[in-house]
Amino acid sequence: MPVTARSLGHRFPGGPWLFLGVDLDLRPGRSYAVTGPSGCGKSTLLAILAGWVKPARGTVEVDVPGRVSWVFQHPHGAPRRTARDHVSWPLLASGLRPADADARAQQLLDQVGLGAHADRPFAVLSGGEAQRLMLARGIAARPGLFLVDEPTAQLDRSRAHEVNIALSLLTEPATVTVVATHDEQTRQSCTDHIDLTAYGAVP
């Protein structure tokens, strides 16, 4: 499996176990919703998969082509640069010619419902639009592992729905997608479910 975890557990010094005994086999072309109450370790699990945090117990193996991309709760961008620019950057960095990068960026923006906003600067996008832009930019890098942390946490219901639709459309055949979420609709947008309460996240 491209991403595996065996007997994974984590706690911070002096604190309780967030989770214990997590066994995962994550496959490309699938999207995995990680759910559980606040403080159960959802974001920590993503950080462990990314290699940013060493687990207190167990092992993780990530054998995927390409980079790890992460989309955070709060979208950040260059205020004066356009939506197309944000998605083109990782494509240019991968070696595409500017014209090809712009064309692919436009396809991804169309896919997440932002095609008509391609020339708008980041500063004028709504929260939901900015989050959809971050999803498009993240997948543009062709990551082997795509981590998304609470993408709808700061959004109202209608904008969260737009983000969830975009998330469901961005599953790539060569990418393992893992999404930490409280949102039932986000969970339903993913193909698979990892419930951390099943691993001792809640006493």
Side-chain angles (χ1 to χ4, degrees), residues 77-83 85-86 119-123:
R80 297 181 182 179
R81 304 298 295 189
T82 67
D85 288 339
H86 282 77
D119 294 318
R120 295 179 68 193
F122 182 85

Side-chain angles (χ1 to χ4, degrees), residues 176-201:
V176 176
T177 301
V178 185
V179 185
T181 185
H182 285 92
D183 187 343
E184 175 63 20
Q185 289 187 5
T186 304
R187 187 189 73 78
Q188 293 175 0
S189 297
C190 297
T191 61
D192 298 88
H193 183 207
I194 300 167
D195 182 2
L196 278 189
T197 62
Y199 297 100

Side-chain angles (χ1 to χ4, degrees), residues 50-61:
W52 294 2
V53 172
K54 182 179 180 181
R57 181 177 295 178
T59 61
V60 175
E61 293 186 10

Side-chain angles (χ1 to χ4, degrees), residues 71-140:
V71 173
F72 298 97
Q73 288 188 36
H74 303 284
H76 295 284
R80 297 181 182 179
R81 304 298 295 189
T82 67
R84 184 185 292 106
D85 288 339
H86 282 77
V87 182
S88 294
W89 287 341
L91 296 165
L92 291 168
S94 72
L96 285 186
R97 295 180 303 173
D100 294 334
D102 283 346
R104 176 57 177 155
Q106 186 65 48
Q107 289 176 348
L108 288 169
L109 290 169
D110 289 340
Q111 197 170 344
V112 299
L114 292 177
H117 304 302
D119 294 318
R120 295 179 68 193
F122 182 85
V124 305
L125 299 178
S126 70
E129 289 167 348
Q131 193 64 286
R132 283 184 280 155
L133 177 61
M134 295 300 101
L135 291 172
R137 184 177 69 174
I139 210 69

